[in-house]
C-alpha cells in the first residue's frame, strides 16, 4: 500500500512549500483538507493562503521563521475558510524547513510536511493542545512589551540579569535561569537565578566541545529544547549527572545572538513539564534576542566606563605628601553623559622654593578631546611651575601652549578650511550655536595659586575661572575677588595679574569649577548662594566628625558634602561615577590652614578667636570692581545686629574707593576687619592709596555731584580719620555694633 493511501485513510495530506518560487505542491488529501478540489495540485502561494484564516496566517509566518532559525519543526493549528470566509474545519500542520539558504539577505527554504484534520474540543472538555486564545496572545504581547522596556532601561550587566530573573512569562514561567558567555574556547557563567551559591561551579570554565546543551547552542547557534528528563539524558548523557540534582523537568537553551554572532546562551529551566509549543518557543526566542541586545549594550557601556575611569584616574594626580600646617582635600566627578570624560582637573605641585602650588582648571567640552587637551595642559602647567616661574608667568606660558596646541590640531582637520575652522563650525557660530565638530578651537579656564605654608600667604593668578572662596573660623564665607585675565588659549600673549592675600589659621579655602556652581539649573549667583549655605553650616563637626579626626577627616567629609549637595550621595573616591546623570564635570579643592576651630585635628596654641578680615585691591582700570567691594562689606557683616549700620558701611566704602579712583592716579587697597564678641563688635575699614593729598571738608551745593565724602564720614561713622604713610595715606572709619532700636519705642 502506498504511503499516500495510508495518510489519506487517517485524513492526513502531504504538502511542499517552496519559498523561493512561491509555489505550493499538494497531494489529493491535502487539497481536500484545504477546501480545494481533491487531486494533486501545484498552486501559487496566494491561492493556498486564501484558504487560511487571516489571523492564523500571521501566526504561521512567525512559527515558520522560528523553525527556520532553529532548524526545528514548525507546528501550527490553522482554520480553513471557504470563499465567503466561513470556517470549514481546523487542521494541524507539521512541517520541517529543508535546504535553507541565504540569497542577497533573504532566507529561501522548502517546507515539507503534513496537514491533518483535528476535532475541535467541545465545551466542558479538555484537550492536550487547545487553541491559543486571544487573551493569551494579548498577555504575551503585553509581557514582551514590558520585558523589552525593562531590558532597554538596564544600564549594567547586573541590572540586565536582575530584570531577566524577574520576568514572569505568561503560562510557563521558569524557576531557574542562567546566562552563559563565551571566553575563548570555554563557557563562562555570567549570572544565574534560582540556584544556590556555588551551584555554577561545575559549569564554569566548561569547554565548548563538551556534550552540554549550552555548549552545543554556542557552537551551532540553534536552540535546544528538552521537554523531559528522559530527553535530556538521551541527548546529553555525559552531563546529565550535573543537571539531575536540581530536580527540574524541562529545559530550554536559547542562543544569545547579536548581529549574527552568538555571544552566549540563555537557559530557562522549569520544575513543571513544558512541551515547548511553537508559541512558547517564540516567546523564549524573542526574550533571548532582547536579552542578548541588552547584555551587549551593558557590556559596551561597562567597557567604556572602565576605559574612561582608567583614563581619568591616570590624568588625575595624587595630592602628594602632607604639608605641615596645611590640609588638602579634592574631588573630581565626571559628567554623566556619553563616555563620562571631560576637561576639568586639579593638581598640587611642589615648588623649588619650598612652597607649593594648587591648580584647578576646566577645558571646554565634555568629550575625549577635552580630556586629552586637559591632560596635556596639566602636564604643561606642572612643567612651567616646576621651573620656578611666578603665577602670572605660568598662566601666560600655558595660554600660549594651549593656543599653539589647538592651532596645530585644527590644521589637521579634514575639511580644508583655513585656520582649521570647518564649515559646520562657521555655520553654527553664525547662527549662535555651539561647536559642532572636533576641529573647533578650545579654550580653558584656570586658577593657579602659590601658597607659603609657613605664613599662609597666597598668590593667585586667574584665567577666566571662578574666584576662590574662604570660610572663616566663625563660619563667615566670603568670595575673594581676585584680578584675572582671559581664559587660556584665546589670545596667546595675555597678561595675568597676581592677587595676594593671607589664609589665616583656622580658615578654609575652596577652589572649584563652574560645574559645582551651575549644575541643576542654577546660574553663578544662585549656585553660589547654595554652596555658601553649605559652607556656613559646615562647622568642625560637619559630616558627623567630632573635630578630632585624623589627617583632616573633617575636610574630606566637607568635600563629600559639597558634592552631595549638587548630586546626592557619591563615592569617597574622586573618580567614582555617580548613578545619576550629571550636566557638567565637577572639580573641587579644599585647603585648610590648621588652627583653632578648623576641625582638621590640630590647633595652634598661640591662636585665639580671630576677627573677620578681608582685603581687596581696586585698580584704576577696573572701576567695576567697586561693586565687588560693596559686596565684600555686606558679606562680612552678614550677621551684624543693625542693618542700617551695614548700609552705612557699604555707602562709605563706595565713597572712599570712588574718591581714590577719581582724585588719584593709583589703585585703592581696601582692608576691612570686624573684631569682638557678637553684639559688641567693632568694624574698622581702611582704604589706602599712594597720593599724599589729604581729604578736606567741602560745602557742596544742592546740585553738586561730588564733595560729600567727608560729610558722610562725619554723619555715619562712629569715628574716622586719615593716617599719612611713607608713600600715600590711609583713610579709615570705625562702626561699633549695637542692636537696632525698636521702632515702637518712644
Amino acid at each position: 500500500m502506498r504511503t499516500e493511501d495510508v495518510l489519506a485513510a487517517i485524513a492526513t495530506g502531504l504538502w511542499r512549500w517552496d519559498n523561493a518560487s512561491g509555489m505550493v505542491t499538494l497531494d489529493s488529501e491535502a487539497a481536500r483538507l484545504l477546501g480545494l478540489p481533491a487531486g494533486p495540485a501545484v498552486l501559487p502561494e496566494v491561492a493556498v493562503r486564501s484558504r487560511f484564516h487571516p489571523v492564523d496566517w500571521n501566526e504561521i509566518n512567525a512559527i515558520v521563521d522560528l523553525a527556520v532559525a532553529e532548524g526545528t519543526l514548525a507546528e501550527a493549528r490553522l482554520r480553513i475558510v471557504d470563499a465567503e470566509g466561513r470556517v470549514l474545519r481546523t487542521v494541524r500542520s507539521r512541517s520541517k524547513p529543508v535546504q535553507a539558504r541565504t540569497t542577497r539577505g533573504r532566507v529561501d527554504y522548502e517546507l515539507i510536511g503534513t496537514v491533518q484534520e483535528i476535532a475541535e474540543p467541545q465545551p466542558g472538555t479538555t484537550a492536550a493542545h487547545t487553541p491559543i486564545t486571544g487573551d493569551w496572545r494579548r498577555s504575551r504581547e503585553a509581557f514582551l512589551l514590558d520585558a523589552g522596556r525593562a531590558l532597554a532601561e538596564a544600564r549594567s550587566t547586573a541590572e540586565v540579569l536582575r530584570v531577566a530573573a524577574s520576568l514572569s512569562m505568561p503560562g510557563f514561567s521558569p524557576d531557574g535561569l542562567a546566562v552563559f558567555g563565551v571566553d575563548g574556547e570555554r563557557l563562562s557563567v555570567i549570572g544565574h537565578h534560582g540556584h544556590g551559591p556555588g551551584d555554577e561551579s561545575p559549569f564554569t570554565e566548561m569547554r565548548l566541545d563538551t556534550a552540554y546543551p549550552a555548549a552545543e547552542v554556542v557552537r551551532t547557534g540553534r536552540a535546544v529544547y528538552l521537554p523531559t528528563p528522559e530527553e535530556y539524558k538521551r541527548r546529553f548523557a555525559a552531563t546529565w549527572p550535573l543537571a539531575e540534582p536540581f530536580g527540574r523537568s524541562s529545559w530550554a537553551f536559547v542562543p544569545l545572538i547579536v548581529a549574527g554572532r552568538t555571544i552566549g546562551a540563555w537557559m530557562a529551566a522549569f520544575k513543571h513539564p513544558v512541551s515547548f509549543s511553537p508559541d512558547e518557543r517564540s516567546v523564549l526566542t524573542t526574550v533571548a534576542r532582547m536579552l542578548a541586545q541588552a547584555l551587549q549594550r551593558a557590556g559596551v557601556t561597562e567597557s567604556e566606563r572602565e576605559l574612561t575611569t582608567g583614563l581619568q584616574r591616570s590624568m588625575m594626580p595624587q595630592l602628594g605628601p602632607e604639608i605641615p600646617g596645611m590640609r588638602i582635600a579634592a574631588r573630581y566627578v565626571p559628567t554623566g553623559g556619553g563616555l563620562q570624560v571631560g576637561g576639568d582637573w586639579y593638581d598640587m605641585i611642589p615648588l623649588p622654593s619650598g612652597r607649593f602650588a594648587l591648580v584647578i582648571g576646566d577645558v571646554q567640552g565634555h568629550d575625549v578631546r577635552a580630556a586629552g587637551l586637559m591632560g596635556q595642559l596639566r602636564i604643561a602647567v606642572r612643567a612651567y611651575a616646576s621651573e620656578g616661574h611666578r603665577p602670572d608667568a605660568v598662566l601666560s606660558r600655558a595660554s600660549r601652549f594651549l593656543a599653539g596646541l589647538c592651532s596645530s590640531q585644527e590644521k589637521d582637520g579634514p575639511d580644508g578650511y583655513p585656520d582649521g575652522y570647518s564649515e559646520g563650525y562657521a555655520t553654527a557660530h553664525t547662527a549662535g550655536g555651539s561647536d559642532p565638530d572636533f576641529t573647533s578651537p578650545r579654550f580653558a579656564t584656570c586658577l593657579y595659586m602659590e601658597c607659603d605654608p609657613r605664613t599662609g600667604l597666597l598668590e593667585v593668578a586667574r584665567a577666566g575661572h571662578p574666584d576662590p572662596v574662604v570660610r572663616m573660623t566663625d563660619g563667615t564665607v566670603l568670595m575673594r575677588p581676585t584680578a584675572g585675565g582671559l581664559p587660556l588659549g584665546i589670545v596667546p600673549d595675555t597678561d595675568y595679574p597676581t592677587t595676594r592675600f593671607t589664609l589665616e589659621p583656622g580658615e578654609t579655602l575652596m577652589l572649584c569649577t563652574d560645574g559645582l556652581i551651575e549644575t541643576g539649573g542654577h546660574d553663578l549667583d544662585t549656585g553660589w548662594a547654595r554652596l555658601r549655605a553649605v559652607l556656613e553650616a559646615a562647622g568642625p563637626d560637619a559630616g558627623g566628625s567630632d573635630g578630632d579626626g585624623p589627617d583632616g577627616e573633617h575636610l574630606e567629609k566637607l568635600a563629600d558634602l559639597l558634592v552631595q549637595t549638587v548630586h546626592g550621595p557619591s563615592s569617597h573616591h574622586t573618580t567614582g561615577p555617580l548613578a545619576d546623570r550629571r550636566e557638567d564635570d565637577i572639580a573641587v579643592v579644599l585647603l585648610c590652614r590648621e588652627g583653632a576651630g578648623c576641625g582638621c585635628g590640630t590647633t595652634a596654641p598661640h591662636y585665639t578667636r580671630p576677627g573677620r578680615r578681608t582685603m581687596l585691591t581696586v585698580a584704576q582700570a577696573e572701576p567695576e570692581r567697586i561693586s565687588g567691594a560693596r559686596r565684600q562689606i555686606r558679606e562680612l557683616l552678614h550677621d551684624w545686629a543693625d542693618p542700617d549700620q551695614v548700609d552705612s558701611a557699604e555707602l562709605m566704602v563706595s565713597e572712599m574707593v570712588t574718591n581714590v579712583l577719581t582724585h588719584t592716579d593709583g589703585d585703592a587697597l581696601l582692608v576691612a576687619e570686624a573684631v569682638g564678641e557678637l553684639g559688641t563688635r567693632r568694624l574698622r575699614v581702611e582704604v589706602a592709596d599712594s597720593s599724599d593729598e589729604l581729604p578736606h571738608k567741602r560745602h557742596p551745593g544742592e546740585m553738586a555731584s561730588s564733595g560729600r565724602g567727608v560729610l558722610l564720614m562725619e554723619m555715619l561713622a562712629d569715628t574716622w580719620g586719615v593716617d599719612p604713610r611713607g608713600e600715600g595715606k590711609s583713610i579709615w572709619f570705625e562702626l561699633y555694633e549695637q542692636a537696632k532700636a525698636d521702632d515702637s519705642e518712644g
Side-chain angles (χ1 to χ4, degrees):
M1 181 179 290
R2 295 186 309 161
T3 303
E4 290 83 351
D5 296 333
V6 175
L7 293 175
I10 57 174
T12 301
L14 295 174
W15 69 339
R16 178 190 295 266
W17 176 14
D18 187 343
N19 182 50
S21 64
M23 302 301 292
V24 182
T25 302
L26 306 171
D27 69 359
S28 298
E29 185 63 16
R32 184 190 71 80
L33 291 174
L34 296 182
L36 299 170
V42 179
L43 302 173
E45 178 184 305
V46 65
V48 177
R49 175 178 177 177
S50 66
R51 314 307 297 179
F52 297 133
H53 192 284
V55 174
D56 297 344
W57 174 258
N58 293 332
E59 288 288 335
I60 196 174
N61 270 338
I63 292 171
V64 169
D65 290 341
L66 179 61
V68 171
E70 297 180 347
T72 57
L73 288 176
E75 182 178 355
R77 299 169 65 87
L78 304 166
R79 287 169 290 180
I80 307 302
V81 299
D82 60 15
E84 284 75 30
R86 292 172 298 195
V87 177
L88 298 176
R89 63 181 61 85
T90 301
V91 300
R92 177 189 292 120
S93 168
R94 300 187 68 191
S95 55
K96 183 175 180 62
V98 297
Q99 300 179 359
R101 57 198 179 277
T102 303
T103 306
R104 296 181 180 179
R106 170 179 168 170
V107 179
D108 294 329
Y109 50 84
E110 289 186 3
L111 279 178
I112 301 176
T114 62
V115 179
Q116 182 181 27
E117 185 173 4
I118 59 175
E120 290 291 350
Q122 298 299 317
T125 66
T126 60
H129 300 284
T130 56
I132 301 299
T133 64
D135 289 342
W136 193 91
R137 288 193 180 99
R138 286 190 291 272
S139 297
R140 181 187 64 182
E141 292 171 358
F143 161 74
L144 292 176
L145 285 174
D146 290 341
R149 185 182 304 109
L151 288 170
E153 293 174 354
R155 299 182 181 181
S156 66
T157 300
E159 289 184 18
V160 172
L161 294 177
R162 282 197 296 269
V163 171
S166 66
L167 296 178
S168 179
M169 301 182 191
F172 64 111
S173 295
D175 67 290
L177 300 172
V179 177
F180 298 90
V182 181
D183 187 6
E185 296 298 322
R186 296 180 180 274
L187 282 179
S188 62
V189 179
I190 299 176
H192 59 86
H193 173 71
H195 308 87
D199 285 348
E200 75 280 3
S201 299
F203 307 95
T204 305
E205 300 294 325
M206 183 181 286
R207 291 181 57 86
L208 290 181
D209 55 5
T210 305
Y212 180 66
E216 180 175 313
V217 167
V218 172
R219 291 196 309 268
T220 64
R222 292 183 175 180
V224 172
Y225 297 103
L226 304 170
T228 63
E230 291 74 22
E231 180 72 6
Y232 196 128
K233 186 175 181 180
R234 182 184 66 82
R235 295 184 58 181
F236 302 96
T239 54
W240 165 246
L242 299 178
E244 185 178 13
F246 295 102
R248 302 283 170 41
S249 299
S250 302
W251 299 261
F253 291 84
V254 190
L256 300 175
I257 300 175
V258 176
R261 182 173 63 91
T262 302
I263 64 171
W266 174 47
M267 181 199 76
F270 305 82
K271 283 193 174 181
H272 59 276
V274 179
S275 63
F276 297 117
S277 67
D279 292 281
E280 292 166 341
R281 296 203 310 269
S282 176
V283 170
L284 289 167
T285 302
T286 303
V287 171
R289 290 172 181 168
M290 294 188 295
L291 181 60
Q293 295 289 342
L295 287 171
Q296 178 79 353
R297 288 194 302 270
V300 170
T301 300
E302 289 170 349
S303 296
E304 290 177 347
R305 184 179 296 120
E306 183 178 355
L307 173 64
T308 55
T309 299
L311 175 65
Q312 291 289 1
R313 281 178 176 166
S314 66
M315 291 182 174
M316 284 294 116
Q318 299 297 320
L319 288 178
E322 293 187 3
I323 301 170
M326 294 283 187
R327 298 293 185 189
I328 301 177
R331 295 290 182 271
Y332 172 75
V333 183
T335 179
L339 294 179
Q340 294 189 336
V341 296
D344 290 19
W345 91 95
Y346 63 84
D347 203 351
M348 188 188 81
I349 309 169
L351 300 177
S353 61
R355 299 182 174 188
F356 68 93
L358 289 180
V359 189
I360 191 166
D362 181 1
V363 176
Q364 175 202 15
H366 311 116
D367 51 20
V368 174
R369 184 175 178 232
L373 287 175
M374 177 268 287
Q376 296 177 80
L377 184 58
R378 184 180 71 83
I379 293 172
V381 170
R382 175 173 278 267
Y384 297 143
S386 299
E387 291 175 353
H389 296 292
R390 303 297 296 168
D392 55 340
V394 170
L395 290 190
S396 295
R397 285 166 168 77
S399 183
R400 286 195 295 270
F401 171 81
L402 182 60
L405 187 64
C406 291
S407 176
S408 64
Q409 291 184 2
E410 290 159 20
K411 292 178 181 178
D412 296 333
D415 45 38
Y417 276 72
D419 298 328
Y421 287 82
S422 67
E423 182 178 9
Y425 175 82
T427 303
H429 274 264
T430 300
S434 59
D435 298 352
D437 67 325
F438 72 93
T439 61
S440 59
R442 301 288 180 104
F443 60 84
T445 66
C446 184
L447 187 148
Y448 180 96
M449 183 176 70
E450 186 173 315
C451 178
D452 186 341
R454 295 182 300 101
T455 63
L457 178 64
L458 305 178
E459 298 184 56
V460 181
R462 189 170 57 87
H465 201 81
D467 280 305
V469 172
V470 174
R471 182 188 184 278
M472 300 178 179
T473 55
D474 65 350
T476 301
V477 178
L478 295 179
M479 182 178 289
R480 288 283 190 177
T482 56
L486 292 173
L488 306 178
I490 293 182
V491 178
D493 295 319
T494 303
D495 293 329
Y496 295 96
T498 300
T499 301
R500 295 176 177 84
F501 62 91
T502 299
L503 189 66
E504 300 292 345
E507 292 184 343
T508 300
L509 178 136
M510 182 187 78
L511 308 176
C512 69
T513 56
D514 57 2
L516 186 69
I517 303 174
E518 297 181 326
T519 296
H522 289 270
D523 56 23
L524 287 175
D525 291 331
T526 60
W528 157 236
R530 173 178 56 173
L531 295 177
R532 180 180 178 180
V534 174
L535 290 168
E536 287 178 345
D541 59 346
S545 171
D546 59 4
D548 296 323
D551 299 329
E553 180 183 352
H554 163 74
L555 207 63
E556 297 290 340
K557 292 185 177 181
L558 178 56
D560 284 333
L561 186 61
L562 288 167
V563 175
Q564 291 170 13
T565 300
V566 178
H567 289 306
S570 66
S571 169
H572 173 77
H573 301 289
T574 60
T575 54
L578 298 177
D580 60 327
R581 186 174 181 82
R582 294 167 295 280
E583 305 165 21
D584 197 359
D585 304 21
I586 287 177
V588 57
V589 178
L590 298 176
L591 173 67
C592 178
R593 187 178 180 195
E594 294 175 352
C598 70
C600 290
T602 303
T603 60
H606 64 281
Y607 185 71
T608 59
R609 181 178 181 87
R612 302 175 188 172
R613 189 171 187 271
T614 186
M615 180 186 302
L616 175 66
T617 299
V618 180
Q620 282 283 338
E622 298 177 316
E624 65 276 3
R625 297 192 67 189
I626 296 176
S627 62
R630 291 196 298 265
R631 185 178 66 180
Q632 284 282 288
I633 294 299
R634 185 163 291 277
E635 290 181 353
L636 190 74
L637 305 179
H638 67 94
D639 58 353
W640 199 262
D642 186 354
D644 289 342
Q645 285 187 310
V646 178
D647 293 339
S648 298
E650 186 177 355
L651 177 60
M652 287 187 285
V653 165
S654 181
E655 181 70 19
M656 292 162 66
V657 174
T658 301
N659 282 340
V660 171
L661 300 186
T662 302
H663 302 295
T664 74
D665 296 328
D667 302 336
L669 175 62
L670 168 69
V671 179
E673 184 176 31
V675 296
E677 297 298 327
L678 293 177
T680 60
R681 288 172 292 185
R682 174 176 60 86
L683 171 68
R684 181 180 177 89
V685 177
E686 297 183 14
V687 176
D689 62 73
S690 57
S691 173
D692 295 329
E693 182 180 353
L694 299 179
H696 54 276
K697 188 174 181 179
R698 299 180 183 179
H699 299 279
E702 293 183 0
M703 303 301 295
S705 59
S706 62
R708 296 185 176 86
V710 173
L711 292 177
L712 284 175
M713 303 281 279
E714 289 181 342
M715 292 175 58
L716 301 177
D718 289 316
T719 181
W720 71 281
V722 180
D723 293 338
R725 295 185 174 180
E727 292 184 0
K729 63 182 179 298
S730 172
I731 306 174
W732 57 270
F733 71 84
E734 291 183 353
L735 290 177
Y736 306 125
E737 185 179 22
Q738 55 188 4
K740 182 176 175 61
D742 191 340
D743 293 338
S744 63
E745 294 181 0

